[in-house]
Amino acid sequence: MTEAAELPPAPEQARTVFGERFTDAVRYAELLADAGVQRGLIGPREVPRLWERHILNCAVLSEVVPEATTVCDVGSGAGLPGIPLALVRPDLKITLLEPLLRRTTFLTEVVELLGLDHVTVVRGRAEEVLGKLTPVHVVTARAVAPLDRLAAWGVPLLRPYGEMLALKGDTAEEELKGAGAALSKLGAVGTSVLHVGEGVVDPLSTVVRVEVGESPGGVRFAAKRAKAARTGRTRRRR
């Protein structure tokens, strides 16, 4: 059996980024390195670079999330980027959306342990909760799917004039170009590639921003949302 990699001490940047929640950030890192690895949520080889590559890389997303908004973290997995974002931004109302039970179990444990009262864990796929979850201002995602497929899941969850913020790698510009037609059909009215985390992470975190107009997901998803809402009202009356 391979010996488990050791979690390195938190870098000084983490103290600055997380402030009074620094101790909670350390606890989260410890949970990822222990239970996260044991349950197959994080690869053991990722433990030595948990801080720079995962936790801080996600926390700096807070730089581009508007104040006092609602957020849905699609395919949250082990809580990245949702948990670091929640630690940095208590002003946000965050939903961690994840289809797999073992992951939602872990997320629920983390949320309770860290006392993240502004975070809710929901088990399900984006297409399953459409019309059931209240539309949000911001959808976040990291390492979930190629941009065109991710947008098909995430954009319909947005409220009018909301935005999707997807953490991507070096291929962000290329992905954005390739997804142009799909994004237009989903009601996107603006796209951009942002670089965040100056002085915190190197290389900087790359974020693809997709802004939508008055019909997130386009006409087809507007109809699906309306149908789901009608079904929900019928069930409540019963």
Side-chain angles (χ1 to χ4, degrees):
M1 183 181 293
T2 305
E3 187 176 342
E6 186 176 343
L7 176 69
E12 200 57 38
Q13 295 94 318
R15 293 184 180 274
T16 303
V17 170
F18 291 105
E20 62 184 25
R21 298 305 296 259
F22 171 71
T23 302
D24 291 325
V26 171
R27 186 70 186 115
Y28 176 54
E30 292 170 347
L31 288 166
L32 286 176
D34 186 4
V37 172
Q38 291 175 19
R39 301 185 197 182
L41 307 182
I42 290 285
R45 293 183 180 179
E46 297 302 309
V47 173
R49 51 186 185 176
L50 265 179
W51 282 107
E52 288 82 0
R53 185 179 175 86
H54 298 284
I55 298 174
L56 287 172
N57 177 271
C58 290
V60 295
L61 182 62
S62 65
E63 295 177 17
V64 290
V65 177
E67 290 184 13
T69 50
T70 52
V71 178
C72 182
D73 188 31
V74 173
S76 196
L80 300 164
I83 297 293
L85 184 61
L87 288 170
V88 176
R89 296 287 300 278
D91 60 302
L92 304 175
K93 297 285 187 184
I94 300 177
T95 298
L96 306 180
L97 181 62
E98 169 56 48
L100 295 184
L101 177 60
R102 64 188 171 90
R103 293 176 180 171
T104 54
T105 299
F106 175 79
L107 292 173
T108 301
E109 291 170 1
V110 171
V111 166
E112 291 177 356
L113 183 66
L114 301 184
L116 298 173
D117 298 334
H118 58 306
V119 178
T120 303
V121 179
V122 173
R123 184 184 176 197
R125 300 182 184 278
E127 56 270 35
E128 295 170 348
V129 301
L130 185 64
K132 299 174 185 176
L133 283 184
T134 302
V136 296
H137 297 92
V138 179
V139 162
T140 60
R142 178 180 187 256
V144 173
L147 187 59
D148 55 351
R149 203 165 358 131
L150 173 62
W153 297 334
V155 167
L157 299 176
L158 291 168
R159 57 185 287 169
Y161 308 103
E163 59 186 309
M164 183 177 77
L165 299 171
L167 281 160
K168 288 289 184 178
D170 297 336
T171 61
E173 296 274 6
E174 186 180 334
E175 274 197 65
L176 188 52
K177 288 178 183 176
L183 293 175
S184 294
K185 289 180 182 178
L186 289 166
V189 296
T191 60
S192 53
V193 175
L194 313 173
H195 299 284
V196 295
E198 183 73 42
V200 178
V201 290
D202 185 17
L204 298 178
S205 297
T206 301
V207 181
V208 173
R209 171 186 273 158
V210 178
E211 298 167 278
V212 301
E214 61 184 15
S215 299
V219 176
R220 182 163 63 93
F221 285 99
K224 286 181 71 173
R225 269 196 299 270
K227 182 179 178 181
R230 286 196 300 272
T231 302
R233 285 196 296 270
T234 302
R235 286 174 179 164
R236 284 194 293 273
R237 282 198 294 268
R238 289 175 185 170

